[in-house]
Amino acid sequence: MEKSVAEKIFDDVSRAYDKFLNFATFNKINNWQNTLIQNTPNGRYVLDIGTGTGEVVKKLHEKLSEKSFIYGIDLSFNMLKVSKSKIPYQNVLFIKADALRLPFKKNSLDNIYFSLVFRHLPKDKIIYQLKDVLKKDGYVSILEIAKPKSKLLYNFILIFADKIFRPFGRILFSKEEWDYFVESIKNSMTKEELLDFFSKNGFNLHFYESRFLGLIHIAIFKKNVEV
């Protein structure tokens, strides 16, 4: 089966991704992920979608009981190899899987995490997966780029990423890979759009905080419906 564009890109950048992410977030990413985890009521069965190099899973393992089961899924086999090398624990399982075809039973998970992944997915499709595999009163925890209300600021961000930041990004990534990241910014949501989307789909807001001058969402939603 031919690899998807996303799978090819993340396979290629797996070794450089942690360095890039720290650089691109001015070394804030670990603090943001810790805030997301600390403010989430975590249960026994926890999934990290688009786990990448496993940083969220690593932090979850440090926080949760050994009786918990933590799963990390990703399309990229190379990313999963990096994750496995960091976190070789028995209660952690990494799976090569598509977020739109989650390999879990209905109402089987207590928590689902996304760290800089949600904007890459078609939200009208992923929400059905979340409602299917998440238990009632389970939580979805999202760390993501926020789309600013100001069109001027939004356009500045796109110009910054595409023109000013591009030479630094191209040190690590090919043109196709960098274009993929820049294009994904256009799929970001404002705070109001994000909260409204989850509210319409049967989730209550549990926690919200913005960071980085309002350009980062840290949002946690509680499922309140059976589907």
Side-chain angles (χ1 to χ4, degrees):
M1 183 180 294
E2 186 177 353
K3 290 183 180 181
S4 67
V5 172
E7 187 178 352
K8 289 178 181 177
I9 288 172
F10 286 103
D11 268 349
D12 289 344
V13 304
S14 59
R15 293 294 174 184
Y17 191 70
D18 282 346
K19 290 180 180 178
F20 164 71
L21 203 52
N22 276 289
F23 175 69
T25 63
F26 299 91
N27 292 313
K28 300 289 187 183
I29 184 64
N30 289 311
N31 176 271
W32 297 340
Q33 289 175 342
N34 281 324
T35 298
L36 187 70
I37 292 168
Q38 288 165 5
N39 287 282
T40 298
N42 289 290
R44 190 177 184 191
Y45 298 97
V46 181
L47 169 66
D48 182 32
I49 290 182
T51 195
T53 61
E55 282 298 307
V56 168
V57 170
K58 182 181 177 182
K59 294 176 177 67
L60 283 165
H61 185 268
E62 291 168 354
K63 177 181 172 61
L64 301 183
S65 160
E66 291 185 0
K67 294 181 180 180
S68 64
F69 293 90
I70 307 170
Y71 307 96
I73 70 163
D74 206 289
L75 279 175
S76 167
F77 182 69
N78 288 348
M79 284 284 200
L80 293 173
K81 285 198 296 184
V82 175
S83 300
K84 183 66 175 177
S85 69
K86 288 182 183 179
I87 316 154
Y89 303 111
Q90 290 186 347
N91 66 327
V92 174
L93 179 63
F94 292 106
I95 306 168
K96 188 177 186 300
D98 188 336
L100 301 181
R101 299 178 182 85
L102 293 176
F104 298 94
K105 293 180 180 179
K106 188 178 181 69
N107 302 324
S108 62
L109 299 174
D110 296 293
N111 299 90
I112 297 176
Y113 281 82
F114 296 89
S115 179
L116 300 178
V117 172
F118 195 77
R119 75 184 187 280
H120 291 292
L121 302 168
K123 63 181 186 294
D124 292 327
K125 293 183 179 179
I126 190 62
I127 195 67
Y128 289 110
Q129 291 289 300
L130 302 184
K131 289 193 287 187
D132 185 53
V133 302
L134 198 63
K135 295 178 183 177
K136 186 177 185 298
D137 298 329
Y139 291 85
V140 176
S141 302
I142 298 174
L143 166 62
E144 190 52 271
I145 293 172
K147 182 177 181 180
K149 290 182 181 180
S150 167
K151 192 171 183 179
L152 183 64
L153 180 57
Y154 177 62
N155 288 335
F156 172 77
I157 293 168
L158 290 177
I159 292 170
F160 181 83
D162 192 37
K163 305 298 183 185
I164 301 172
F165 205 67
R166 178 180 286 274
F168 298 99
R170 286 297 308 279
I171 293 172
L172 298 174
F173 307 130
S174 69
K175 180 181 184 300
E176 180 188 31
E177 290 159 359
W178 186 251
D179 287 346
Y180 177 86
F181 288 119
V182 172
E183 188 65 26
S184 74
I185 295 174
K186 297 177 183 178
N187 295 326
S188 59
M189 304 168 74
T190 66
K191 174 184 177 180
E192 290 72 21
E193 288 170 342
L194 183 68
L195 270 55
D196 183 61
F197 175 73
F198 274 91
S199 176
K200 286 180 176 178
N201 282 283
F203 289 79
N204 293 329
L205 180 65
H206 172 77
F207 176 88
Y208 183 90
E209 202 169 276
S210 64
R211 297 286 182 89
F212 212 51
L213 302 176
L215 299 179
I216 291 292
H217 299 297
I218 299 176
I220 301 165
F221 301 94
K222 183 178 181 181
K223 179 183 173 184
N224 63 5
V225 295
E226 288 283 10
V227 293

